[in-house]
Amino acid sequence: MNRRRWLTGALSTALAATVAACGQAGTSIAHQARRMGEGLTRRSQRLILPRDALAPTYSRAQISPDFKANGSIDPVASDYLALKAGGFADYRLVLEGLVERPLSLSLAELRARPAQTQITKHDCVEGWTSIGEWTGVRLETLLDEAGLKPEAKYVVFHCFDALDQQEDGERYYESIDLVDARHPQTLLAYDMNGETLRVPHGAPLRLRVERQLGYKHAKYIKRIEVVDSFADIGRGRGGYWPDRGYEWYAGI
């Protein structure tokens, strides 16, 4: 871990210097430098840590009494409101894109798949943390059920919520690569702390990708798309916040 911290720190320092130098040449060059540094960070972390290395888990006694709800906490989109009014009985998760067998699953069908429960820490980029218990189906289970095509590289999560709380606002989305999609702790969670997931925390379904920062944990998932590139989705950087300058990988 000391080696990992040193390498990550060295890369961050080098990146900061590069971006500062490139700033005078234009933001596009600075952006390219940042993305290069991010790629180096991702590759170095995966070189040092096994792909299946687990995030720390905790006991029920350590669960945070008040797990902070952040970002969107009550989407206003009409399609979401209609589902919420019916207790999400009509909700269906669509899994499509570069798959052999597209899926459309109700919450009952998701709950019928093998379930996994884990108690993990949520690390927000704002600096706060909370510990919660999550129950859901492993994303890998659904990917295997759908069957990935050879060209598949990324999994994109399209969400119901817009952070500006407008009906026609830009919907939240995020993406991860297949390494993190197949990680044993990557869940599509429908329960939190032993109860059905509530709206402020992403009902009816949210992502838990435990080795990455909180903004990667997409809430209010509407559909999942498997792609070979996210260049033509949103602003092309792989997520709502990465489109606005945040790191795409966001590994911790």
Side-chain angles (χ1 to χ4, degrees), residues 29 72 112 120 210 212 247:
I29 297 177
S72 296
T120 52
E210 305 296 358
Q212 292 175 289
E247 183 185 6

Side-chain angles (χ1 to χ4, degrees), residues 18-31:
T18 302
V19 170
C22 291
Q24 298 177 354
T27 57
S28 62
I29 297 177
H31 171 69

Side-chain angles (χ1 to χ4, degrees), residues 129-171:
T129 64
S130 290
I131 294 173
E133 179 184 73
W134 308 96
T135 299
V137 58
R138 283 183 58 182
L139 178 57
E140 183 177 45
T141 298
L142 299 187
L143 295 179
D144 288 344
E145 189 173 332
L148 297 182
K149 293 185 176 181
E151 58 268 35
K153 292 182 180 178
Y154 303 99
V155 180
V156 182
F157 304 88
H158 300 274
C159 304
F160 284 103
D161 61 314
L163 290 183
D164 63 4
Q165 289 292 82
Q166 299 296 316
E167 170 69 26
D168 59 351
E170 186 177 349
R171 300 287 183 100

Side-chain angles (χ1 to χ4, degrees), residues 18-235:
T18 302
V19 170
C22 291
Q24 298 177 354
T27 57
S28 62
I29 297 177
H31 171 69
Q32 291 174 12
R34 182 182 62 80
R35 292 300 292 266
M36 288 175 61
E38 179 185 334
L40 287 171
T41 300
R42 181 176 71 255
R43 288 190 290 273
S44 65
Q45 286 182 340
R46 289 181 174 167
L47 177 65
I48 295 168
L49 298 175
R51 287 191 171 195
D52 289 345
L54 300 179
T57 56
Y58 301 83
S59 69
R60 283 194 169 87
Q62 294 173 291
I63 291 175
S64 300
D66 182 19
F67 193 111
K68 184 176 180 179
N70 203 32
S72 296
I73 59 173
D74 195 11
V76 300
S78 58
D79 50 355
Y80 182 82
L81 292 176
L83 291 170
K84 184 173 74 169
F88 300 107
D90 294 329
Y91 172 80
R92 301 195 73 85
L93 173 68
V94 173
L95 196 165
E96 59 188 0
L98 297 176
V99 297
E100 300 291 348
R101 299 171 294 277
L103 303 178
S104 176
L105 303 171
S106 67
L107 284 174
E109 290 170 325
L110 286 168
R111 288 179 177 273
R113 269 66 180 172
Q116 178 169 303
T117 297
Q118 59 202 32
I119 301 175
T120 52
K121 183 173 68 173
H122 184 94
D123 291 274
C124 181
V125 71
E126 296 172 351
W128 58 267
T129 64
S130 290
I131 294 173
E133 179 184 73
W134 308 96
T135 299
V137 58
R138 283 183 58 182
L139 178 57
E140 183 177 45
T141 298
L142 299 187
L143 295 179
D144 288 344
E145 189 173 332
L148 297 182
K149 293 185 176 181
E151 58 268 35
K153 292 182 180 178
Y154 303 99
V155 180
V156 182
F157 304 88
H158 300 274
C159 304
F160 284 103
D161 61 314
L163 290 183
D164 63 4
Q165 289 292 82
Q166 299 296 316
E167 170 69 26
D168 59 351
E170 186 177 349
R171 300 287 183 100
Y172 200 88
Y173 82 101
E174 255 302 341
S175 63
I176 55 178
D177 64 17
L178 295 184
V179 172
D180 287 309
R182 292 191 173 280
H183 187 268
Q185 290 176 312
T186 299
L187 296 185
L188 298 174
Y190 43 69
D191 285 350
M192 177 184 178
N193 295 340
E195 299 179 351
T196 300
L197 189 64
R198 297 179 180 179
V199 169
H201 291 290
L205 198 69
R206 69 171 294 160
L207 176 67
R208 293 301 305 176
V209 55
E210 305 296 358
R211 300 190 303 175
Q212 292 175 289
L213 288 170
Y215 62 85
K216 300 293 291 186
H217 300 229
K219 302 193 294 185
Y220 313 110
I221 296 174
K222 181 176 183 178
R223 65 184 178 94
I224 297 174
E225 182 183 12
V226 180
V227 300
D228 60 354
S229 169
F230 44 69
D232 296 325
I233 300 174
R235 302 180 190 178

